[in-house]
């Protein structure tokens, strides 16, 4: 018998309980022993639910139970979740989480505690929901030097962009639709402004290169300023507008990470990733480009990833997974040092050497951000977006 | 110091040596010790290569070296490779392979020997080249009951179909192009007739449900009979023709597996997988649909997967991965019992209840194969292909 607890019984936490209910017999067979949901820690009253017997209010019950193997942290945020995760690891429990904010901001510290206590801190569900991507990155692709990671990491913004591009719906209206469908929160800032994608690209970067990149140190541009005109011009020229998180390691060992709406050529498999789906492209120096696609959010998909981590933690009970990141990455000055291709729209004479997309839009590059911004100002461009190559 | 050997120094074997040369320092850092290519077993004369010191001709050297940890089998086929794999496992060596024929036909026996000797037999490279798919399937998705696997598993046929559909090139000519580019062998039967895809869908099925499905027991239809007319009609109606390997588990626990050209709707992410790329879609009851995409062949991509397995075998030296399949799966009578949607083309009056794609083509279903074949004969249909839903 293996025992686990769920802290925070919201969408993800209750999804994990539901996956155990659906698939408990198959899970026990794979594990070689039954998996029991022993505790649910939540402020909610669960007495009228099937989980009444597991409900507890005091974290110390989990902390002090020597029979408890794994704790799922689905509280969210970086306050209570941080305190409980620290204490659970210090008490020798494996911890599995979907909490991207906590992993992105405190992962280094928590992984160090896990290393010291010889337990696992696993967080596959923190990026891409149910899509297996972190474990393939650090394990299957371990023979590669990773060169770049680029992903559609936020389903809400991808839904909105899909409606804008394919439906011709303006941003404000597409956002309202997303809210009506439950894809966007009433306060959608974290999604719309790219903060959620920023946390996820930091976690991908941390794992790809073993050095910490903090969300507060990367450039993040959201989608609220995207104009239907640009969506139409891009589509007409064989591009789609997608919000991408990108992280790369340069030849000199320095790194870059940022979030911005991009023009993505239709030949890229990222271009056809629509609606709430997510996809992450990883470029390794042996494998080339591989892509992982699926639902980036939702109770059961996210719970699928959490359950995979629970089973992996239990399979590595004695010998923890060697996983983590240490000192801070050395980030380049993104604007000054990273030459990209750029899309510009405006009532201008096309700059020399530019590729015309329409009578009012061009692609230039590769040039760094400072340079292209000066050009955009000089010619009076109304839109400036990077282009994925 | 960890030591490994390569048996068979062809495309894959020399690719593995090249990946070690490219990434040896990074690999040693991840592993925590240097990884050394101690032996290369091949009939070729390697004395003029940088690998002269490692070259051996006698398998017994590998078998009897107590310092040898991992053996890479990239011989191919199921004769010498079978003998050497058996003996390496019995000698307590971990074995890593890209040999889909051997895994599909003798995996059950070899995994049983590995279990008995407490060593790993790993074969990520046998399906999808460098694409991480087998490990995500049995590990990240372990919390799911897998319902279906559908994949573009053969790059040669996907290249040919892409040329036919997008370039309007007839089959014979597209095949010649593929041969000229080195994508297709001079005797292309194993690819063209779907045998290669058949082996791969069997391995995916074996891992998804833990029961053996042998290639000789599944229905395999290749692409040589695909007509440009059908490619054009399909494209016009929002479908692409793709050779898919499919495996599914029915509600009653019985299974199905087969290979056939399908009409794939453009809304499926499999539809936009072109050229030599592969992609595998996995449907789990918690995660929904996830897809894995990348280069399905080639020296370095395949070597990337082999190297990932070598590192995983070494990380699980003491406690082997719990992986394998046992007794035979109970397969349904595919033709009689699996209702699918079907595409029919011919000079006929559209059957009642069918969906018209053009004035000469319809989709009917869901109906089982025996029934639709009777219908096709009755109306005089010239083409009959399943449709992915």
């Amino acid at each position: 018998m293996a025992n686990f607890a769920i802290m925070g019984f919201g969408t993800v936490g209750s999804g994990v309980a539901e996956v155990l209910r659906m698939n408990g017999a198959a899970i026990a067979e794979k594990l070689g022993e039954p998996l029991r949901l022993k505790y649910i820690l939540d402020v909610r009253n669960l007495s009228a639910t099937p989980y009444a017997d597991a409900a507890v209010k005091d974290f110390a019950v989990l902390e002090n139970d020597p029979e408890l193997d794994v704790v799922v942290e689905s509280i969210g945020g970086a306050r209570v979740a941080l305190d409980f995760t620290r204490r659970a690891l210090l008490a020798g429990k494996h911890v599995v989480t979907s909490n991207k904010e906590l992993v992105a901001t405190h992962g280094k510290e928590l992984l160090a505690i896990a290393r010291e206590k010889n337990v696992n801190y696993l967080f596959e569900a923190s990026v891409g929901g149910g899509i297996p991507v972190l474990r393939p990155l650090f394990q299957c692709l371990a023979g590669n030097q990773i060169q770049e990671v680029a992903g559609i990491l936020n389903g809400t913004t991808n839904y909105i962009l899909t409606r804008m591009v394919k439906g011709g719906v303006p941003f404000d209206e597409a956002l309202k639709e997303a809210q009506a469908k439950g894809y966007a929160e009433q306060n959608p800032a974290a999604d719309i402004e790219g903060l959620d994608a920023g946390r996820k690209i930091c976690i991908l970067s941390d794992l790809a290169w073993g050095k910490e990149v903090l969300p507060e140190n990367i450039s993040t541009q959201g989608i609220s300023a995207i104009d239907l005109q640009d969506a139409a011009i891009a589509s007409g020229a064989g591009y789609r507008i997608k919000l991408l998180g990108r992280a790369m390691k340069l030849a000199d060992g320095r790194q870059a990470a940022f979030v911005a709406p991009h023009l993505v050529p239709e030949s890229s498999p990222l271009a056809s990733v629509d609606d709430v789906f997510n996809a992450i492209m990883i470029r390794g120096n042996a494998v080339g480009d591989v892509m992982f696609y699926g639902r980036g959010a939702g109770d059961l998909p996210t719970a699928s990833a959490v359950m995979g981590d629970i089973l992996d933690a239990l399979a590595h009970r004695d010998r923890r997974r060697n996983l983590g990141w240490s000192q801070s990455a050395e980030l380049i000055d993104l604007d000054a040092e990273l030459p990209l291709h750029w899309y510009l729209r405006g009532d201008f004479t096309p700059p020399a050497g530019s590729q015309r997309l329409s009578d009012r839009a061009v692609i230039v590059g590769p040039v760094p951000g400072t340079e292209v911004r000066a050009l955009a100002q000089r010619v009076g461009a109304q839109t400036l977006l990077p282009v994925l190559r």
Side-chain angles (χ1 to χ4, degrees), chain A:
Chain A
M1 172 82 76
N3 293 297
F4 80 105
I6 297 173
M7 306 193 296
F9 207 60
T11 304
V12 176
S14 58
V16 174
E18 176 61 13
V19 166
L20 182 67
R21 192 197 61 75
M22 288 160 60
N23 299 339
I27 287 167
E29 196 177 331
K30 280 176 203 164
L31 191 59
E33 58 185 327
L35 178 64
R36 175 180 165 212
L37 174 52
K38 192 168 182 184
Y39 303 116
I40 297 173
L41 180 73
D42 201 290
V43 292
R44 293 177 185 84
N45 182 349
L46 302 176
S47 60
T49 74
Y51 303 107
D53 290 351
V56 293
K57 302 275 182 210
D58 182 5
F59 174 73
V61 175
L62 282 56
E63 200 174 19
N64 295 322
D65 183 344
E67 290 181 343
L68 184 65
D69 301 291
V70 181
V71 174
V72 174
E73 183 272 295
S74 43
I75 300 169
R79 290 194 299 207
V80 178
L82 173 60
D83 180 41
F84 286 178
T85 299
R86 268 196 200 119
R87 286 167 61 188
L89 292 169
L90 286 168
K93 313 301 180 198
H94 305 282
V95 177
V96 170
T97 191
S98 59
N99 186 337
K100 53 222 163 212
E101 182 181 350
L102 187 60
V103 175
T105 55
H106 291 82
K108 189 173 74 172
E109 176 203 337
L110 295 169
L111 285 159
I113 300 175
R115 195 175 308 120
E116 192 191 308
K117 304 302 291 186
N118 199 33
V119 291
N120 294 284
Y121 180 51
L122 301 174
F123 40 87
E124 179 65 71
S126 67
V127 177
I131 309 170
V133 59
L134 299 185
R135 189 165 282 103
L137 170 60
F138 76 76
Q139 189 172 342
C140 305
L141 301 177
N144 288 263
Q145 296 188 52
I146 305 298
Q147 297 167 321
E148 178 168 350
V149 180
I152 295 170
L153 299 168
N154 181 274
T156 306
T157 45
N158 203 44
Y159 176 84
I160 292 171
L161 287 173
T162 303
R163 288 296 293 142
M164 290 175 70
V165 170
K166 292 200 153 174
V169 176
F171 171 78
D172 290 336
E173 201 177 309
L175 170 58
K176 284 204 191 92
E177 274 184 26
Q179 286 171 322
K181 283 179 180 270
Y183 297 154
E185 315 212 5
Q186 283 317 303
N187 179 353
D191 291 324
I192 300 304
E193 300 308 333
L195 303 181
D196 176 76
R199 288 167 182 154
K200 292 170 180 168
I201 195 65
C202 285
I203 296 171
L204 287 161
S205 179
D206 294 336
L207 275 177
W209 298 294
K211 296 197 174 174
E212 181 183 59
V213 176
L214 288 170
E216 67 208 53
N217 294 334
I218 72 166
S219 157
T220 304
Q221 185 186 339
I223 63 163
S224 52
I226 300 287
D227 193 308
L228 275 186
Q229 289 182 63
D230 297 307
I233 292 170
S235 292
Y239 293 84
R240 298 288 189 82
I241 297 184
K242 294 289 180 193
L243 183 67
L244 298 184
R246 295 178 70 187
M248 48 200 90
K249 187 171 182 179
L250 309 184
D252 63 9
R254 293 184 304 161
Q255 294 178 217
F258 61 104
V259 175
H262 281 69
L263 263 67
V264 176
E266 275 170 10
S267 59
S268 163
L270 288 171
S272 51
V273 175
D274 283 334
D275 300 321
V276 294
F277 285 88
N278 285 14
I280 299 97
M281 173 82 84
I282 300 176
R283 180 169 297 160
N285 72 339
V287 76
D289 287 350
V290 288
M291 189 182 84
F292 305 87
Y293 166 98
R295 287 187 182 275
D299 52 352
L300 295 183
T302 309
S304 160
V306 169
M307 189 56 77
D309 273 355
I310 293 173
L311 297 176
D312 196 39
L314 290 168
H316 294 83
R317 249 187 274 212
D318 312 320
R319 187 172 161 172
R320 72 175 287 278
R321 285 207 164 270
N322 183 16
L323 172 73
W325 49 90
S326 50
Q327 77 273 30
S328 300
E330 195 188 339
L331 295 173
I332 60 166
D333 181 335
L334 197 67
D335 268 353
E337 299 186 69
L338 191 69
L340 297 173
H341 286 79
W342 300 85
Y343 164 90
L344 288 89
R345 173 176 56 83
D347 297 310
F348 49 61
T349 312
S354 65
Q355 172 201 342
R356 285 184 71 154
L357 294 195
S358 80
D359 53 0
R360 303 184 53 232
V362 298
I363 288 178
V364 299
V367 281
T370 41
E371 220 174 289
V372 83
R373 266 180 256 282
L375 170 69
Q377 202 173 4
R378 203 164 61 238
V379 301
Q382 290 162 294
T383 305
L384 178 65
L385 293 174
V387 180
L388 185 72
R389 281 283 168 131

